[in-house]
Amino acid sequence: MVKNTAWSEVAGALAAAGLAEGALVRTTQGDCLEYRNPDTKVSVLVVDGEDERDDWPGHAGLWSVSRG
């Protein structure tokens, strides 16, 4: 089973690795927020809806991680 990860968990791990959330560029992408690091070209899409997280990503749930 895949874990439904919250953005707060990812943001905490990034902070522990020395990358503050403020260093990420945040934009709106449809129903998601995109957090992008322009140096590494990694972006994370986080659900910006009001649905609660359960087996599927909901509010503040990690939707995708991509590079490039």
Side-chain angles (χ1 to χ4, degrees):
M1 176 180 229
V2 175
K3 182 180 181 211
N4 187 347
T5 304
W7 169 245
S8 60
E9 294 176 61
V10 176
L14 291 173
L19 180 64
E21 187 174 330
L24 303 174
V25 176
R26 182 178 135 178
T27 58
T28 301
Q29 297 288 336
D31 292 339
C32 293
L33 297 174
E34 178 184 27
Y35 292 89
R36 182 173 177 80
N37 182 323
D39 296 333
T40 62
K41 298 182 180 163
V42 171
S43 69
V44 177
L45 290 180
V46 178
V47 177
D48 192 32
E50 295 300 319
D51 295 336
E52 288 191 36
R53 290 185 309 116
D54 51 23
D55 290 340
W56 297 96
H59 180 71
L62 191 66
W63 182 258
S64 71
V65 177
S66 60
R67 191 178 89 182

